[in-house]
Amino acid sequence: MNSSKLWPCAALPHASLAPRTTLHVGGRAEWLLEPATPEELRRAIVAAREDGHEPRILGGGANLIVDDGVLPGVVITTDRMKRLFRPANAAAWLADDPDGRVAQPSREEGLRFVSWAGTTHQKLLSASVELGWSGLEGLAGVPGHVGGGVAMNAGGKWGGMWDAVERVLVVDERGELVELERAQCQPRYRNGGLGRNVVASVLLRFTLDTLPAVKERAREFLLAKNRVQPVTLWSAGCIFKNPDPSVSGGRTAGQLVDACGLKGARLGDAEISPLHGNFFVNRGNARARDLLALIERARAEVAERTGIVLEHEVKVWRAELDPARP
Ligand SMILES: Cc1cc2nc3c(=O)[nH]c(=O)nc-3n(C[C@H](O)[C@H](O)[C@H](O)COP(=O)(O)OP(=O)(O)OC[C@H]3O[C@@H](n4cnc5c(N)ncnc54)[C@H](O)[C@@H]3O)c2cc1C
């Protein structure tokens, strides 16, 4: 790759990725591109492909293990795409200019937000709660960016991102910005069903409630999570997807890891949380290889004892693999 290459947006060579993830492990990206708009995102993806690399997309890094070492090729972060606004006209949501004055939405249009991919879940949730809009309380305590949340179908037993998604603007495999209706997407458990499309912007629809009611629900969900998750430590949320309850007898992945006596197991500074068997934490100086070895140990022990092969929920970016050449 040409190190003096001109990218169509802000770009950093050899950027450290660990501080951009909630686990705080991993090495550097050969290139980190920082588009600030959906169109810049599109051009960044096209430029990376023209350079021979399928770019990796980084949201809040809250469900990601970045390998140690140097990741070849291009990582694109949505960190600068933080726009959140109310569309004046939902049917023409892509035409709204968030830099300009957005006309006061009508009562019907008013129950919607447009969020670009880099808005944090927390900012979106706070904005909707303050208006007494219900729909995303299930995202309380779930870190990440809206683009990552849509791609991962973030959420849980109290609901999640796709409860509010009406339309999505994506950069498709041809490098074009394409609008998808909700009915064109097949979100499923921890998978937004968007394939290799990259989320640029989303139109979200809410239902009207009262501020105290929405606020109380979000607070209740947050407190419930804080009681059972090691929220003050560096982690990537749940490492494994929960298996089909008909196969696991209703036991979650965390309960299966716990039943193997693995809570508290350590490798260097990587630890299986003593609080939650599906949370693997970085105690300070963990390396990605320690976390990955501990994850593999848990997977192998659960498989040996129960015959259940746990599937990763967390995404792993291997340093030796360029996604353009798997
Ligand atoms: C303490 C804690 C609690 C958590 N609790 C929950 C929970 O209750 N429920 C839950 O579902 N998750 C939970 N998570 C995991 C995480 O919050 C979600 O998976 C979140 O949606 C990840 O979003 P992100 O922006 O950080 O994505 P990243 O971690 O940056 O990326 C995850 C994947 O999404 C892809 N991606 C990112 N942005 C885009 C985009 N714009 N377009 C296409 N693909 C993209 C990435 O390439 C990667 O494959 C938790 C994590 C932590 C640390």
Side-chain angles (χ1 to χ4, degrees):
M1 182 178 295
N2 182 351
S3 62
S4 62
K5 184 172 169 59
L6 280 180
W7 295 103
C9 60
L12 295 169
H14 290 272
S16 180
L17 295 178
R20 294 172 183 268
T21 72
T22 54
L23 253 177
H24 292 255
V25 299
R28 293 173 181 276
E30 195 175 351
W31 278 103
L32 181 71
L33 306 192
E34 302 179 306
T37 65
E39 174 55 22
E40 272 195 11
L41 173 67
R42 188 194 70 76
R43 284 194 272 135
I45 290 170
V46 170
R49 287 176 183 160
E50 282 172 1
D51 216 52
H53 298 275
E54 185 58 33
R56 306 179 209 240
I57 310 299
L58 176 64
N63 203 210
L64 198 59
I65 299 179
V66 175
D67 211 345
D68 309 308
V70 177
L71 267 68
V74 173
V75 172
I76 298 178
T77 171
T78 55
D79 226 17
R80 292 191 176 195
M81 296 177 60
K82 291 197 183 303
R83 293 259 188 233
L84 179 69
F85 60 97
R86 295 170 70 177
N89 176 355
W93 66 293
L94 294 175
D96 271 335
D97 173 8
D99 283 327
R101 287 170 59 87
V102 177
Q104 186 59 36
S106 70
R107 195 179 163 79
E108 174 61 11
E109 310 294 349
L111 288 169
R112 293 181 174 89
F113 273 127
V114 172
S115 170
W116 287 1
T119 307
T120 62
H121 292 163
Q122 202 43 56
K123 183 176 170 192
L124 173 61
L125 180 60
S126 306
S128 53
V129 166
E130 273 169 30
L131 290 163
W133 293 1
S134 177
L136 288 181
E137 298 91 303
L139 286 186
V142 180
H145 291 184
V146 166
V150 172
M152 293 296 301
N153 191 8
K157 62 181 170 184
W158 296 295
M161 181 62 82
W162 276 85
D163 295 345
V165 172
E166 201 169 62
R167 292 185 220 167
V168 189
L169 181 70
V170 298
V171 181
D172 73 4
E173 300 212 36
R174 295 163 304 164
E176 288 174 12
L177 280 167
V178 176
E179 187 182 350
L180 300 176
E181 295 283 341
R182 194 200 152 84
Q184 291 173 267
C185 313
Q186 285 88 39
R188 43 197 182 274
Y189 173 55
R190 295 296 89 82
N191 182 346
L194 293 172
R196 293 177 69 191
N197 291 320
V198 177
V199 179
S201 182
V202 196
L203 179 67
L204 299 148
R205 185 169 193 178
F206 298 80
T207 54
L208 195 57
D209 203 332
T210 64
L211 187 151
V214 183
K215 199 173 187 174
E216 181 50 30
R217 266 198 303 280
R219 199 181 79 93
E220 193 187 306
F221 299 162
L222 182 63
L223 291 177
K225 283 183 190 172
N226 288 354
R227 277 194 288 274
V228 295
Q229 296 177 355
V231 289
T232 56
L233 299 175
W234 291 337
S235 82
C238 287
I239 293 295
F240 301 113
K241 290 183 180 177
N242 287 322
D244 184 336
S246 66
V247 174
S248 69
R251 284 174 299 172
T252 62
Q255 286 165 343
L256 291 169
V257 173
D258 187 13
C260 292
L262 287 170
K263 272 182 171 174
R266 271 181 95 143
L267 191 58
D269 264 0
E271 181 185 59
I272 302 180
S273 166
L275 195 60
H276 193 307
N278 205 4
F279 273 63
F280 289 51
V281 299
N282 174 3
R283 283 277 175 189
N285 292 305
R287 295 169 309 173
R289 80 190 71 150
D290 298 331
L291 278 153
L292 292 169
L294 202 54
I295 290 168
E296 201 35 54
R297 178 180 162 199
R299 217 165 80 96
E301 289 198 24
V302 168
E304 194 181 303
R305 286 178 66 138
T306 66
I308 297 168
V309 180
L310 294 174
E311 194 188 326
H312 280 188
E313 176 174 324
V314 74
K315 303 290 178 188
V316 181
W317 286 356
R318 302 272 178 188
E320 70 272 18
L321 288 183
D322 180 334
R325 306 182 187 95

